[in-house]
Amino acid sequence: MTLQTETPPQTSSTSKLDRQMIVILDFGSQYSELIARRIRETQVYSEVLSYRTSIEQLQQLAPKGIILSGGPSSVYDPGAPQCDPGIWSLGIPVLGVCYGMQVMVQQLGGGVERAERGEYGKASLHINDATDLLNCVENDTIMWMSHGDSVTHLPEGFELLAHTDNTPQAAIAHHARKLYGVQFHPEVVHSLGGQALIRNFVYNICECEPTWTTDAFVEEAVREIRARVSDKRVLLALSGGVDSSTLAFLLHRAIGDQLTCMFIDQGFMRKGEPERLVKLFQEQFHIPVEYVNARERFLAQVVGITDPEEKRKRIGHEFISVFEEESKRLGPFDYLAQGTLYPDVIESADTNVDAQTGERVAVKIKSHHNVGGLPKDLRFKLIEPLRKLFKDEVRNVGRSIGLPDEIVRRQPFPGPGLAIRIIGEITAERLDILRDADLIVRQEINRSGMYHELWQAFAVLLPVRSVGVMGDQRTYAYPIVLRFVTSEDGMTADWARVPYDLLETVANRIVNEVRGVNRVVYDITSKPPGTIEWE
């Protein structure tokens, strides 16, 4: 469940940092967020909006440039998504990517048809004109193609910039109007010259300045938090992950003791983590944390439950109950702080506005914070200082304001925690077994120096038993699955080719040190077809 956004992306207001903005109009591409991230890497702010965004809204935002994303449609199909044709008269540079290029060509009088041969995967880009968009992009560099349609003839005033063996018009331009199109995807990592092309568009064509920096963001966020909160109190549900921890640091810097951090221990965290988290925040960071021990309550909710979605639902509902009780005990609070990130904003443009005050009221919290939705009568005003940031940007902010690496570079951990790493029913015994196995995994991964090379490395407990032999005696115990994966963003993942010696060490320690386990296996399934977590 994604968190509702404070204002829909289509009507977001700009701050000083956002005035150097590139807008991405999304036609349904799986890479739209990636385009935005690549723009951010140039230290220029970017925002993903719907292709339906009106000319009036674009004029209000006043972007320095516009990018039309790819998409799964064909421009000649009935009902195919189209942007407002007025975009070509705004005087703003436009870059069309794949489907976005085809929309540009079609609306300006060119032709697009089904190609005799589609083009998918890597292709060498043969450059005809190395100026403007393709400046400093090497000839015959590899670009990533994914299209079944191609441009058959160019609109008036357009020129050919580059081609591939299968695509005669792989990059085009109307230099005078600063309109550009590429049939490939410069944003993906497989496009070796892609980032150089993006930098050309951002800096040389759109004439942006690099104002989107971590230090500038922190300075402005602190100023905005102080102005909005004034002398009111703010409540933050702390999970120990990088998002909530960064938010806690940022809020504490801005408003100090007006912030109350609440940590609800639901009993599904890893061995020693709750104690370590509270001690770290209170003793090292000097940020008070209200610790709530609710382990027995949560365990009682999942006894006998084997369906993973039902587990999540029950854990979420119990979190709501505990959160409501504790917030009333500690309150009153005027604001609820949430670690909403920009991908959440993109996915959900819903609002729930108080009719009297005009403030958005919190009725949902992200599932990875263990909350499935707050009661409607628990009325807070939301404050979401991280809502413009991607995950990697949050890590940069956290690092810049003093979060230690153990939090900033912490591997992703699911909100329901070990509850979804125990397949089937959750019991106190199984939790203890998995905690002990998980601790060994973490210790050995850290000892090997591979922790930061892996996206995630963890153990899973299966609800079956197998026969083994230990000390000349027959055993009948649980198996542990090791799941080590590599990934860039968690959307896709591959199983990690770790050294056999490491696997052997982990396996030997688990079967020797964890009572109730006699077998260790390694999951070599990629995502897709599998998922990273087992539930």
Side-chain angles (χ1 to χ4, degrees):
M1 184 178 298
T2 55
L3 183 66
Q4 297 176 353
T5 60
E6 184 162 13
T7 52
Q10 288 80 358
T11 58
S12 64
S13 59
T14 59
S15 66
K16 290 181 180 178
L17 295 182
D18 305 344
R19 290 173 186 165
Q20 299 285 324
M21 179 195 296
I22 302 293
V23 162
I24 297 99
L25 296 187
D26 181 20
F27 288 90
S29 171
Q30 60 180 320
Y31 299 132
S32 293
E33 286 186 25
L34 185 55
I35 297 175
R37 287 174 57 191
R38 293 291 182 253
I39 299 296
R40 302 275 186 100
E41 289 172 8
T42 69
Q43 296 188 326
V44 173
Y45 181 70
S46 60
E47 198 164 292
V48 179
L49 308 182
S50 167
Y51 71 88
R52 297 187 182 92
T53 302
S54 69
I55 293 300
E56 291 74 21
Q57 289 171 315
L58 288 173
Q59 289 174 323
Q60 182 180 7
L61 290 171
K64 298 282 285 184
I66 298 171
I67 296 179
L68 310 182
S69 82
S73 303
S74 293
V75 293
Y76 47 76
D77 287 342
Q82 299 282 335
C83 60
D84 190 323
I87 192 174
W88 317 118
S89 302
L90 288 175
I92 298 173
V94 180
L95 170 64
V97 175
C98 200
Y99 180 84
M101 168 180 166
Q102 295 165 10
V103 168
M104 176 187 294
V105 167
Q106 184 195 56
Q107 290 192 359
L108 292 175
V112 179
E113 294 180 2
R114 184 72 180 173
E116 291 185 8
R117 295 179 59 187
E119 195 170 24
Y120 303 93
K122 298 177 181 178
S124 294
L125 188 71
H126 311 309
I127 296 177
N128 301 79
D129 181 351
T131 60
D132 282 2
L133 191 67
L134 299 181
N135 183 39
C136 295
V137 176
E138 292 185 11
N139 188 39
D140 293 333
T141 190
I142 296 298
M143 294 295 187
W144 188 260
M145 292 285 188
S146 181
H147 66 101
D149 296 334
S150 288
V151 172
T152 56
H153 62 277
L154 299 179
E156 184 179 352
F158 276 78
E159 301 175 18
L160 178 66
L161 298 184
H163 66 281
T164 70
D165 292 341
N166 291 329
T167 303
Q169 289 87 17
I172 61 174
H174 191 305
H175 293 289
R177 299 176 66 181
K178 294 190 175 182
L179 303 179
Y180 301 85
V182 293
Q183 190 59 74
F184 48 86
H185 288 274
E187 69 274 17
V188 303
V189 67
H190 308 291
S191 291
L192 302 184
Q195 193 63 7
L197 184 153
I198 289 172
R199 290 181 65 87
N200 286 336
F201 182 72
V202 170
Y203 287 126
N204 301 339
I205 295 170
C206 298
E207 300 180 349
C208 291
E209 297 177 4
T211 59
W212 184 250
T213 65
T214 299
D215 290 344
F217 172 82
V218 170
E219 180 182 343
E220 180 164 297
V222 168
R223 183 169 56 249
E224 289 180 351
I225 291 167
R226 288 173 178 166
R228 185 171 180 208
V229 172
S230 184
D231 60 349
K232 303 298 191 298
R233 297 184 67 197
V234 178
L235 175 63
L236 168 65
L238 186 66
S239 70
V242 63
D243 301 342
S244 67
S245 297
T246 298
L247 183 53
F249 262 54
L250 193 61
L251 288 166
H252 193 258
R253 174 177 290 192
I255 59 175
D257 293 341
Q258 293 168 241
L259 170 68
T260 297
C261 293
M262 181 200 303
F263 173 70
I264 298 176
D265 183 359
Q266 85 294 54
F268 305 135
M269 294 190 73
R270 293 174 289 202
K271 193 166 188 174
E273 276 196 332
E275 298 81 4
R276 170 65 177 159
L277 174 68
V278 174
K279 184 177 181 180
L280 196 64
F281 269 77
Q282 294 189 158
E283 296 184 8
Q284 184 172 330
F285 306 152
H286 307 294
I287 299 177
V289 177
E290 292 288 340
Y291 173 78
V292 180
N293 187 341
R295 296 182 182 185
E296 292 185 5
R297 290 183 57 168
F298 278 87
L299 186 57
Q301 288 296 318
V302 295
V303 168
I305 303 301
T306 59
D307 180 75
E309 290 307 310
E310 183 65 18
K311 285 182 191 177
R312 292 176 181 271
K313 182 179 178 181
R314 286 174 175 251
I315 292 170
H317 285 174
E318 189 61 22
F319 192 101
I320 294 167
S321 298
V322 176
F323 185 88
E324 182 176 19
E325 293 170 16
E326 296 300 321
S327 63
K328 288 180 179 178
R329 178 179 67 85
L330 298 169
F333 297 97
D334 298 276
Y335 288 93
L336 172 65
Q338 292 193 138
T340 309
L341 303 190
Y342 191 51
D344 304 310
V345 175
I346 296 172
E347 292 168 10
S348 173
D350 299 333
T351 54
N352 185 41
V353 179
D354 187 295
Q356 295 182 338
T357 67
E359 294 276 5
R360 191 170 76 81
V361 180
V363 295
K364 293 182 181 180
I365 293 183
K366 295 185 292 184
S367 59
H368 69 260
H369 283 172
N370 295 327
V371 186
L374 293 176
K376 291 183 179 180
D377 59 349
L378 189 63
R379 300 177 69 82
F380 296 102
K381 299 170 187 175
L382 281 186
I383 184 165
E384 301 165 309
L386 307 181
R387 67 185 303 273
K388 292 181 179 180
L389 303 185
F390 287 103
K391 190 76 168 187
D392 54 339
E393 293 174 316
V394 174
R395 295 186 192 278
N396 290 337
V397 169
R399 188 176 291 109
S400 75
I401 59 179
L403 270 179
D405 260 8
E406 67 179 280
I407 293 179
V408 171
R409 302 182 69 183
R410 181 178 186 254
Q411 291 181 358
F413 186 67
L418 301 182
I420 60 169
R421 291 180 179 173
I422 296 174
I423 310 305
E425 182 181 4
I426 303 168
T427 66
E429 177 200 22
R430 291 178 178 180
L431 280 167
D432 287 340
I433 290 173
L434 185 56
R435 280 197 190 95
D436 288 341
D438 177 85
L439 179 61
I440 291 171
V441 170
R442 287 186 287 138
Q443 288 174 340
E444 293 302 328
I445 290 295
N446 277 311
R447 189 173 290 122
S448 72
M450 295 192 66
Y451 182 86
H452 297 305
E453 296 179 25
L454 301 173
W455 177 262
Q456 282 177 264
F458 57 90
V460 176
L461 177 67
L462 299 185
V464 297
R465 296 176 190 264
S466 66
V467 174
V469 177
M470 300 177 73
D472 294 328
Q473 292 185 352
R474 177 183 182 275
T475 62
Y476 194 55
Y478 292 110
I480 288 290
V481 178
L482 302 181
R483 181 69 162 147
F484 301 170
V485 299
T486 58
S487 179
E488 286 194 359
D489 53 16
M491 299 300 294
T492 61
D494 195 10
W495 62 277
R497 276 68 168 176
V498 298
Y500 289 160
D501 289 349
L502 174 59
L503 293 176
E504 181 181 35
T505 299
V506 172
N508 284 342
R509 284 196 60 191
I510 288 175
V511 297
N512 284 309
E513 299 175 29
V514 181
R515 186 181 297 274
V517 175
N518 66 356
R519 189 180 301 273
V520 177
V521 299
Y522 191 53
D523 182 351
I524 60 168
T525 311
S526 298
K527 175 188 179 183
T531 55
I532 296 177
E533 298 287 346
W534 274 51
E535 285 192 346

